[in-house]
Amino acid sequence: ARLGSMHFRADGVIHALAASASGLWLALLDDDGLWLMDARTGRKVREFKPFRPVHDRHHLAFSQDGKWLSVLPQGTIYSVED
């Protein structure tokens, strides 16, 4: 039996979380990787691979138009639309 749903679930510790300016997307960094989530449904729609947290402190930020996601301190930039 399950209590609750699988929406808005993370695997382990959440290291960082960001919302796009449009409110359409959430970016979540947990113990299993970096995920793009649909903010309306809470479903994971994309995993950015390979990515594993290497520090306890990470920062996520979407570009103003929501097309790019940056991860600091790595300085990695991902395209949200791919």
Side-chain angles (χ1 to χ4, degrees):
R2 166 170 284 294
L3 179 61
S5 72
M6 291 301 294
H7 304 303
F8 295 108
R9 298 249 180 188
D11 298 319
V13 174
I14 296 175
H15 298 279
L17 180 70
S20 66
S22 66
L24 296 176
W25 304 112
L26 295 175
L28 175 108
L29 179 62
D30 65 15
D31 286 337
D32 283 342
L34 179 60
W35 301 89
L36 182 66
M37 300 176 73
D38 184 319
R40 292 166 291 188
T41 66
R43 294 183 192 270
K44 293 178 180 177
V45 295
R46 182 169 173 207
E47 181 178 9
F48 296 97
K49 286 196 173 217
F51 192 93
R52 295 292 175 256
V54 294
H55 302 286
D56 287 339
R57 295 183 184 186
H58 284 84
H59 303 281
L60 303 175
F62 283 94
S63 62
Q64 185 64 31
D65 60 10
K67 294 181 180 181
W68 302 96
L69 174 65
S70 64
V71 182
L72 296 173
Q74 286 86 347
T76 308
I77 298 175
Y78 295 96
S79 172
V80 172
E81 296 181 340
D82 286 346

Coordinates of all heavy atoms in Angstrom, one line a residue:
A1 N 0.8 -1.2 0.0 CA 0.0 0.0 0.0 C 0.9 1.2 0.0 O 2.0 1.2 0.6 CB -0.9 0.0 1.2
R2 N 0.4 2.3 -0.6 CA 1.1 3.5 -0.7 C 0.3 4.7 -0.1 O -0.9 4.8 -0.3 CB 1.4 3.9 -2.2 CG 1.9 5.3 -2.3 CD 2.4 5.6 -3.7 NE 3.7 5.1 -4.0 CZ 4.8 5.5 -3.4 NH1 4.8 6.4 -2.4 NH2 6.0 5.0 -3.7
L3 N 1.0 5.5 0.7 CA 0.4 6.7 1.2 C 1.0 7.9 0.5 O 2.2 8.1 0.5 CB 0.7 6.8 2.7 CG 0.2 8.0 3.5 CD1 -1.4 8.0 3.4 CD2 0.6 8.0 4.9
G4 N 0.2 8.6 -0.2 CA 0.7 9.7 -1.0 C 1.0 9.3 -2.4 O 0.7 8.2 -2.8
S5 N 1.6 10.2 -3.2 CA 1.8 10.0 -4.6 C 3.3 10.1 -4.8 O 4.1 10.4 -3.9 CB 1.1 11.0 -5.5 OG 1.7 12.3 -5.3
M6 N 3.7 9.8 -6.0 CA 5.1 9.9 -6.4 C 5.5 11.3 -7.0 O 6.6 11.5 -7.3 CB 5.5 8.8 -7.5 CG 5.4 7.4 -7.0 SD 6.6 7.1 -5.6 CE 8.1 7.3 -6.5
H7 N 4.6 12.2 -7.0 CA 4.8 13.5 -7.5 C 5.6 14.3 -6.4 O 5.4 14.2 -5.2 CB 3.5 14.2 -7.8 CG 2.7 13.5 -8.8 ND1 3.2 13.1 -10.0 CD2 1.5 13.0 -8.7 CE1 2.3 12.4 -10.7 NE2 1.2 12.3 -9.9
F8 N 6.5 15.2 -6.9 CA 7.3 16.0 -6.0 C 8.1 15.2 -5.0 O 8.3 15.6 -3.9 CB 6.4 17.1 -5.3 CG 5.8 18.1 -6.2 CD1 4.4 18.0 -6.5 CD2 6.6 19.0 -6.9 CE1 3.9 19.0 -7.3 CE2 6.0 20.0 -7.7 CZ 4.6 19.9 -7.9
R9 N 8.6 14.1 -5.4 CA 9.4 13.3 -4.6 C 10.9 13.4 -5.0 O 11.2 13.4 -6.1 CB 9.0 11.8 -4.7 CG 7.6 11.5 -4.2 CD 7.6 10.8 -3.0 NE 6.2 10.5 -2.6 CZ 5.9 10.0 -1.5 NH1 6.8 9.7 -0.7 NH2 4.6 9.9 -1.2
A10 N 11.8 13.4 -4.0 CA 13.2 13.4 -4.2 C 13.8 12.1 -3.6 O 13.2 11.5 -2.7 CB 13.9 14.6 -3.5
D11 N 14.9 11.7 -4.2 CA 15.6 10.5 -3.7 C 16.7 10.9 -2.7 O 17.7 11.3 -3.1 CB 16.1 9.6 -4.8 CG 15.0 9.2 -5.7 OD1 14.0 8.7 -5.2 OD2 15.2 9.2 -6.9
G12 N 16.4 10.9 -1.4 CA 17.4 11.3 -0.4 C 17.4 12.7 -0.2 O 16.4 13.4 -0.2
V13 N 18.6 13.3 0.1 CA 18.7 14.7 0.4 C 18.6 15.6 -0.8 O 19.1 15.3 -1.8 CB 20.1 14.9 1.0 CG1 20.4 16.4 1.3 CG2 20.3 14.1 2.3
I14 N 17.8 16.7 -0.6 CA 17.7 17.7 -1.7 C 18.9 18.7 -1.4 O 18.9 19.3 -0.4 CB 16.4 18.4 -1.6 CG1 15.3 17.4 -2.0 CG2 16.4 19.6 -2.6 CD1 13.9 18.0 -1.8
H15 N 19.7 18.8 -2.4 CA 20.9 19.7 -2.3 C 20.6 21.1 -2.8 O 21.1 22.1 -2.3 CB 22.1 19.2 -3.0 CG 22.5 17.8 -2.5 ND1 23.4 17.7 -1.4 CD2 22.3 16.6 -2.9 CE1 23.6 16.5 -1.2 NE2 23.0 15.7 -2.1
A16 N 19.7 21.2 -3.8 CA 19.3 22.5 -4.3 C 18.0 22.4 -5.0 O 17.6 21.4 -5.5 CB 20.4 23.1 -5.2
L17 N 17.3 23.6 -5.1 CA 16.0 23.6 -5.8 C 15.9 25.0 -6.4 O 16.2 26.0 -5.8 CB 14.9 23.4 -4.8 CG 13.4 23.4 -5.3 CD1 13.2 22.2 -6.1 CD2 12.5 23.4 -4.1
A18 N 15.3 25.1 -7.6 CA 15.1 26.4 -8.3 C 13.8 26.3 -9.1 O 13.4 25.2 -9.6 CB 16.2 26.7 -9.2
A19 N 13.1 27.4 -9.2 CA 11.9 27.6 -10.0 C 12.2 28.5 -11.2 O 12.8 29.5 -11.0 CB 10.7 28.0 -9.2
S20 N 11.6 28.2 -12.3 CA 11.8 29.1 -13.5 C 10.9 30.3 -13.3 O 9.9 30.2 -12.5 CB 11.4 28.4 -14.8 OG 10.1 28.0 -14.8
A21 N 11.2 31.4 -13.9 CA 10.5 32.7 -13.8 C 9.0 32.5 -14.2 O 8.1 33.1 -13.7 CB 11.2 33.8 -14.5
S22 N 8.8 31.6 -15.2 CA 7.5 31.4 -15.8 C 6.6 30.5 -14.9 O 5.4 30.5 -15.0 CB 7.6 30.7 -17.2 OG 8.1 29.4 -17.0
G23 N 7.3 29.8 -13.9 CA 6.6 28.9 -13.1 C 6.3 27.6 -13.7 O 5.6 26.8 -13.1
L24 N 6.8 27.3 -14.9 CA 6.6 26.0 -15.6 C 7.5 24.9 -15.1 O 7.1 23.8 -15.1 CB 6.7 26.2 -17.1 CG 5.8 27.1 -17.8 CD1 6.1 27.2 -19.2 CD2 4.4 26.6 -17.6
W25 N 8.7 25.3 -14.7 CA 9.7 24.3 -14.4 C 10.3 24.4 -12.9 O 10.4 25.5 -12.4 CB 10.9 24.4 -15.3 CG 10.5 24.3 -16.7 CD1 10.6 25.3 -17.7 CD2 10.0 23.1 -17.4 NE1 10.1 24.8 -18.9 CE2 9.8 23.5 -18.8 CE3 9.7 21.8 -17.0 CZ2 9.3 22.6 -19.7 CZ3 9.2 21.0 -18.0 CH2 9.0 21.3 -19.3
L26 N 10.6 23.3 -12.4 CA 11.4 23.2 -11.2 C 12.7 22.4 -11.5 O 12.6 21.4 -12.3 CB 10.7 22.5 -10.1 CG 9.4 23.1 -9.5 CD1 8.8 22.2 -8.5 CD2 9.8 24.4 -8.8
A27 N 13.8 22.9 -11.0 CA 15.0 22.1 -11.1 C 15.4 21.6 -9.7 O 15.3 22.4 -8.7 CB 16.2 22.9 -11.6
L28 N 15.7 20.3 -9.6 CA 15.9 19.7 -8.3 C 17.2 18.9 -8.3 O 17.4 18.1 -9.3 CB 14.8 18.8 -7.9 CG 14.9 18.0 -6.7 CD1 14.0 18.5 -5.6 CD2 14.7 16.5 -6.9
L29 N 18.1 19.1 -7.4 CA 19.3 18.4 -7.3 C 19.2 17.5 -6.0 O 19.2 18.1 -4.9 CB 20.5 19.3 -7.2 CG 21.9 18.7 -7.1 CD1 22.2 17.7 -8.3 CD2 23.0 19.7 -6.9
D30 N 19.2 16.2 -6.2 CA 19.1 15.3 -5.0 C 20.3 14.3 -5.1 O 21.2 14.5 -5.9 CB 17.8 14.6 -4.9 CG 17.5 13.7 -6.1 OD1 18.4 13.3 -6.8 OD2 16.3 13.3 -6.2
D31 N 20.3 13.3 -4.2 CA 21.4 12.4 -4.2 C 21.6 11.6 -5.5 O 22.6 11.1 -5.8 CB 21.2 11.4 -3.0 CG 21.5 12.1 -1.7 OD1 22.2 13.1 -1.7 OD2 21.0 11.6 -0.7
D32 N 20.5 11.5 -6.3 CA 20.6 10.7 -7.5 C 20.8 11.5 -8.7 O 21.0 11.0 -9.8 CB 19.3 9.9 -7.7 CG 19.2 8.7 -6.8 OD1 20.2 8.3 -6.3 OD2 18.1 8.2 -6.6
G33 N 20.9 12.8 -8.6 CA 21.2 13.6 -9.8 C 20.4 14.9 -9.9 O 19.8 15.4 -9.0
L34 N 20.5 15.5 -11.1 CA 19.8 16.8 -11.4 C 18.6 16.5 -12.3 O 18.7 15.9 -13.3 CB 20.8 17.7 -12.1 CG 20.4 19.1 -12.5 CD1 19.9 19.9 -11.3 CD2 21.5 19.8 -13.3
W35 N 17.5 17.0 -11.9 CA 16.2 16.7 -12.5 C 15.5 18.0 -12.9 O 15.5 19.0 -12.2 CB 15.3 16.0 -11.6 CG 15.8 14.7 -11.1 CD1 16.6 14.5 -10.0 CD2 15.7 13.4 -11.7 NE1 16.9 13.2 -9.9 CE2 16.4 12.5 -10.9 CE3 15.0 13.0 -12.9 CZ2 16.4 11.1 -11.3 CZ3 15.1 11.6 -13.2 CH2 15.8 10.7 -12.4
L36 N 14.8 17.9 -14.1 CA 13.9 19.0 -14.5 C 12.5 18.4 -14.2 O 12.1 17.3 -14.6 CB 14.0 19.3 -15.9 CG 13.1 20.4 -16.5 CD1 13.5 21.7 -15.9 CD2 13.2 20.5 -18.0
M37 N 11.7 19.2 -13.5 CA 10.3 18.7 -13.1 C 9.3 19.7 -13.6 O 9.5 20.9 -13.7 CB 10.2 18.6 -11.6 CG 11.2 17.7 -11.0 SD 11.1 17.7 -9.2 CE 9.6 16.8 -8.9
D38 N 8.1 19.2 -14.0 CA 7.0 20.0 -14.4 C 6.4 20.5 -13.1 O 5.9 19.8 -12.2 CB 6.0 19.1 -15.1 CG 4.8 19.9 -15.6 OD1 4.3 20.8 -14.9 OD2 4.3 19.6 -16.7
A39 N 6.4 21.8 -12.9 CA 5.9 22.5 -11.7 C 4.4 22.3 -11.5 O 3.9 22.3 -10.3 CB 6.2 24.0 -11.7
R40 N 3.7 22.0 -12.5 CA 2.2 21.8 -12.4 C 1.9 20.4 -11.9 O 1.0 20.3 -11.0 CB 1.5 22.1 -13.7 CG 1.5 23.6 -14.1 CD 1.1 23.7 -15.5 NE 2.2 23.1 -16.3 CZ 2.3 23.1 -17.6 NH1 1.4 23.7 -18.3 NH2 3.3 22.6 -18.2
T41 N 2.6 19.4 -12.3 CA 2.3 18.1 -12.0 C 3.2 17.4 -11.0 O 2.9 16.4 -10.3 CB 2.3 17.2 -13.2 OG1 3.6 17.1 -13.8 CG2 1.3 17.7 -14.3
G42 N 4.4 18.0 -10.9 CA 5.4 17.4 -10.0 C 6.1 16.2 -10.5 O 6.9 15.6 -9.9
R43 N 5.9 15.9 -11.8 CA 6.6 14.8 -12.4 C 8.0 15.2 -12.9 O 8.2 16.3 -13.5 CB 5.8 14.3 -13.6 CG 4.4 13.7 -13.2 CD 3.7 13.2 -14.4 NE 2.3 12.8 -14.1 CZ 1.9 11.6 -13.7 NH1 2.8 10.7 -13.6 NH2 0.7 11.4 -13.5
K44 N 8.9 14.2 -12.8 CA 10.2 14.4 -13.3 C 10.1 14.2 -14.8 O 9.7 13.2 -15.3 CB 11.2 13.4 -12.7 CG 11.5 13.7 -11.2 CD 12.4 12.6 -10.7 CE 12.7 12.9 -9.2 NZ 13.5 11.9 -8.6
V45 N 10.6 15.2 -15.6 CA 10.5 15.1 -17.1 C 11.8 14.9 -17.7 O 11.9 14.5 -18.9 CB 9.7 16.3 -17.7 CG1 8.3 16.4 -17.2 CG2 10.4 17.6 -17.3
R46 N 12.9 15.2 -17.0 CA 14.2 15.0 -17.6 C 15.3 14.9 -16.5 O 15.2 15.5 -15.5 CB 14.5 16.2 -18.5 CG 15.8 16.1 -19.2 CD 16.0 17.2 -20.2 NE 17.3 17.2 -20.7 CZ 17.9 18.2 -21.2 NH1 17.3 19.3 -21.3 NH2 19.2 18.1 -21.7
E47 N 16.2 14.0 -16.8 CA 17.4 13.9 -16.0 C 18.6 14.4 -16.7 O 18.8 14.0 -17.9 CB 17.6 12.5 -15.5 CG 18.8 12.4 -14.6 CD 19.0 10.9 -14.1 OE1 18.4 10.0 -14.6 OE2 19.9 10.8 -13.2
F48 N 19.4 15.3 -16.1 CA 20.6 15.8 -16.7 C 21.7 14.8 -16.3 O 22.1 14.8 -15.2 CB 20.9 17.2 -16.3 CG 19.9 18.2 -16.7 CD1 18.8 18.6 -15.8 CD2 19.9 18.7 -18.0 CE1 17.9 19.5 -16.2 CE2 18.9 19.6 -18.4 CZ 17.9 20.0 -17.5
K49 N 22.3 14.1 -17.3 CA 23.3 13.1 -17.0 C 24.6 13.5 -17.7 O 24.5 14.1 -18.8 CB 22.9 11.8 -17.5 CG 21.9 11.1 -16.6 CD 21.8 9.6 -16.9 CE 20.9 9.0 -15.9 NZ 21.3 7.7 -15.5
P50 N 25.7 13.2 -17.3 CA 26.0 12.7 -15.9 C 26.1 13.8 -15.0 O 26.7 14.8 -15.3 CB 27.3 11.9 -16.0 CG 28.0 12.7 -17.1 CD 27.0 13.2 -18.1
F51 N 25.5 13.7 -13.8 CA 25.6 14.8 -12.8 C 25.4 14.1 -11.5 O 24.4 13.4 -11.2 CB 24.6 15.9 -13.0 CG 24.9 17.0 -12.1 CD1 25.6 18.1 -12.6 CD2 24.5 17.1 -10.8 CE1 26.0 19.1 -11.7 CE2 24.9 18.1 -9.9 CZ 25.6 19.2 -10.4
R52 N 26.4 14.3 -10.6 CA 26.3 13.8 -9.2 C 26.8 15.0 -8.3 O 27.7 15.6 -8.6 CB 27.1 12.6 -9.0 CG 26.7 11.4 -9.7 CD 25.3 10.9 -9.2 NE 24.8 9.8 -10.0 CZ 23.8 9.9 -10.8 NH1 23.2 11.1 -11.1 NH2 23.4 8.9 -11.5
P53 N 26.1 15.2 -7.2 CA 26.5 16.3 -6.3 C 27.9 16.0 -5.8 O 28.2 14.9 -5.4 CB 25.5 16.2 -5.2 CG 24.3 15.4 -5.7 CD 24.9 14.5 -6.8
V54 N 28.7 17.0 -5.8 CA 30.1 16.8 -5.3 C 30.4 17.7 -4.1 O 31.4 17.5 -3.4 CB 31.1 17.2 -6.4 CG1 31.1 16.2 -7.5 CG2 31.0 18.6 -6.9
H55 N 29.5 18.6 -3.7 CA 29.6 19.5 -2.6 C 28.3 19.4 -1.8 O 27.3 19.0 -2.3 CB 29.9 20.9 -3.0 CG 31.1 21.1 -3.8 ND1 32.4 21.0 -3.3 CD2 31.3 21.3 -5.1 CE1 33.3 21.2 -4.3 NE2 32.6 21.4 -5.4
D56 N 28.4 20.0 -0.6 CA 27.1 20.1 0.2 C 26.4 21.4 -0.2 O 25.2 21.5 0.0 CB 27.4 20.2 1.7 CG 27.8 18.8 2.2 OD1 27.5 17.8 1.6 OD2 28.5 18.8 3.3
R57 N 27.1 22.3 -0.9 CA 26.5 23.6 -1.3 C 26.4 23.7 -2.8 O 27.5 23.8 -3.4 CB 27.2 24.7 -0.7 CG 27.1 24.8 0.8 CD 27.8 25.9 1.4 NE 27.8 25.9 2.8 CZ 28.2 26.8 3.6 NH1 28.7 27.9 3.1 NH2 28.2 26.7 4.9
H58 N 25.3 23.7 -3.3 CA 25.1 23.9 -4.7 C 24.0 25.0 -4.9 O 23.2 25.2 -4.1 CB 24.5 22.6 -5.4 CG 25.5 21.6 -5.6 ND1 25.9 20.7 -4.6 CD2 26.3 21.3 -6.7 CE1 26.8 19.8 -5.1 NE2 27.1 20.2 -6.3
H59 N 24.1 25.6 -6.1 CA 23.1 26.7 -6.4 C 22.6 26.4 -7.8 O 23.4 26.1 -8.7 CB 23.8 28.1 -6.3 CG 24.3 28.3 -5.0 ND1 23.6 28.7 -3.9 CD2 25.6 28.3 -4.5 CE1 24.4 28.9 -2.8 NE2 25.6 28.6 -3.2
L60 N 21.3 26.5 -8.0 CA 20.7 26.3 -9.3 C 20.0 27.6 -9.7 O 19.4 28.3 -8.8 CB 19.6 25.2 -9.2 CG 20.1 23.8 -8.8 CD1 18.9 22.9 -8.7 CD2 21.1 23.3 -9.8
A61 N 20.1 28.0 -10.9 CA 19.4 29.2 -11.4 C 19.0 29.0 -12.9 O 19.7 28.5 -13.7 CB 20.3 30.4 -11.3
F62 N 17.7 29.4 -13.1 CA 17.2 29.4 -14.5 C 17.5 30.8 -15.1 O 17.6 31.8 -14.4 CB 15.7 29.2 -14.6 CG 15.3 27.8 -14.4 CD1 14.9 27.3 -13.1 CD2 15.2 26.9 -15.4 CE1 14.5 26.0 -12.9 CE2 14.7 25.6 -15.3 CZ 14.4 25.2 -14.0
S63 N 17.8 30.8 -16.4 CA 17.9 32.1 -17.1 C 16.5 32.7 -17.1 O 15.5 32.1 -16.8 CB 18.3 31.9 -18.6 OG 17.4 31.1 -19.3
Q64 N 16.4 34.0 -17.4 CA 15.2 34.8 -17.3 C 14.1 34.2 -18.2 O 12.9 34.1 -17.9 CB 15.4 36.2 -17.6 CG 14.2 37.1 -17.4 CD 13.7 37.2 -16.0 OE1 14.5 37.1 -15.0 NE2 12.4 37.3 -15.8
D65 N 14.6 33.7 -19.4 CA 13.6 33.1 -20.4 C 13.3 31.6 -20.1 O 12.5 31.0 -20.8 CB 14.1 33.3 -21.8 CG 15.4 32.7 -22.1 OD1 15.9 31.9 -21.2 OD2 16.0 32.9 -23.2
G66 N 14.0 31.0 -19.1 CA 13.7 29.7 -18.7 C 14.3 28.6 -19.7 O 14.0 27.4 -19.5
K67 N 15.2 29.0 -20.6 CA 15.7 28.1 -21.6 C 17.0 27.4 -21.1 O 17.5 26.5 -21.6 CB 16.0 28.8 -22.9 CG 14.7 29.2 -23.6 CD 15.0 29.9 -24.9 CE 13.7 30.3 -25.6 NZ 14.0 31.0 -26.8
W68 N 17.6 28.0 -20.0 CA 18.9 27.5 -19.6 C 18.9 27.3 -18.0 O 18.2 28.1 -17.3 CB 20.0 28.5 -19.9 CG 20.1 28.7 -21.4 CD1 19.5 29.8 -22.1 CD2 20.8 27.9 -22.3 NE1 19.8 29.6 -23.4 CE2 20.6 28.5 -23.6 CE3 21.5 26.7 -22.3 CZ2 21.1 28.0 -24.8 CZ3 22.0 26.2 -23.4 CH2 21.8 26.8 -24.7
L69 N 19.6 26.4 -17.6 CA 19.8 26.1 -16.2 C 21.2 26.0 -15.8 O 22.0 25.3 -16.5 CB 19.1 24.7 -15.8 CG 19.3 24.2 -14.4 CD1 18.6 25.2 -13.4 CD2 18.7 22.8 -14.3
S70 N 21.7 26.8 -14.8 CA 23.1 26.8 -14.4 C 23.2 26.2 -13.1 O 22.3 26.3 -12.2 CB 23.7 28.2 -14.4 OG 23.0 29.0 -13.5
V71 N 24.4 25.5 -12.9 CA 24.7 24.8 -11.6 C 26.0 25.4 -11.1 O 27.0 25.3 -11.8 CB 24.8 23.3 -11.8 CG1 25.1 22.6 -10.5 CG2 23.5 22.8 -12.5
L72 N 26.0 25.9 -9.9 CA 27.2 26.4 -9.3 C 27.5 25.6 -8.1 O 26.6 25.1 -7.4 CB 27.1 27.9 -8.9 CG 26.9 28.8 -10.1 CD1 26.5 30.2 -9.6 CD2 28.1 28.8 -11.0
P73 N 28.7 25.3 -7.7 CA 29.9 25.9 -8.1 C 30.6 25.4 -9.4 O 31.6 25.9 -9.8 CB 30.9 25.7 -6.9 CG 30.5 24.5 -6.3 CD 29.0 24.4 -6.6
Q74 N 30.0 24.3 -10.0 CA 30.6 23.7 -11.2 C 30.7 24.7 -12.4 O 31.5 24.6 -13.2 CB 29.9 22.5 -11.6 CG 30.1 21.3 -10.7 CD 29.2 21.3 -9.6 OE1 28.5 22.3 -9.2 NE2 29.1 20.2 -8.9
G75 N 29.7 25.6 -12.5 CA 29.7 26.5 -13.6 C 29.1 25.8 -14.9 O 29.3 26.3 -16.0
T76 N 28.4 24.7 -14.7 CA 27.8 24.0 -15.8 C 26.5 24.6 -16.2 O 25.7 25.1 -15.3 CB 27.5 22.5 -15.4 OG1 28.7 22.0 -14.8 CG2 27.0 21.7 -16.5
I77 N 26.2 24.7 -17.5 CA 25.0 25.3 -18.0 C 24.3 24.2 -18.9 O 24.9 23.6 -19.8 CB 25.2 26.6 -18.8 CG1 25.8 27.6 -17.9 CG2 23.9 27.1 -19.4 CD1 26.2 28.9 -18.6
Y78 N 23.0 24.0 -18.6 CA 22.3 23.0 -19.4 C 21.1 23.7 -20.1 O 20.5 24.6 -19.6 CB 21.6 22.0 -18.4 CG 22.6 21.1 -17.7 CD1 23.0 21.4 -16.4 CD2 23.1 19.9 -18.3 CE1 23.9 20.6 -15.7 CE2 24.0 19.1 -17.6 CZ 24.4 19.5 -16.4 OH 25.3 18.7 -15.7
S79 N 20.8 23.1 -21.3 CA 19.7 23.6 -22.1 C 18.5 22.9 -21.6 O 18.4 21.7 -21.5 CB 19.9 23.3 -23.6 OG 18.7 23.6 -24.3
V80 N 17.4 23.6 -21.2 CA 16.2 23.0 -20.7 C 15.4 22.4 -21.9 O 14.7 21.5 -21.7 CB 15.4 24.1 -20.0 CG1 14.0 23.6 -19.6 CG2 16.1 24.5 -18.7
E81 N 15.5 23.0 -23.1 CA 14.7 22.6 -24.2 C 15.2 21.4 -25.0 O 14.5 20.9 -25.9 CB 14.5 23.8 -25.1 CG 13.8 24.9 -24.5 CD 13.6 26.1 -25.4 OE1 14.3 26.2 -26.4 OE2 12.7 26.9 -25.1
D82 N 16.3 20.9 -24.7 CA 16.8 19.7 -25.5 C 16.0 18.5 -25.2 O 15.5 18.2 -24.2 CB 18.3 19.4 -25.2 CG 19.2 20.4 -25.8 OD1 18.7 21.2 -26.7 OD2 20.4 20.5 -25.4

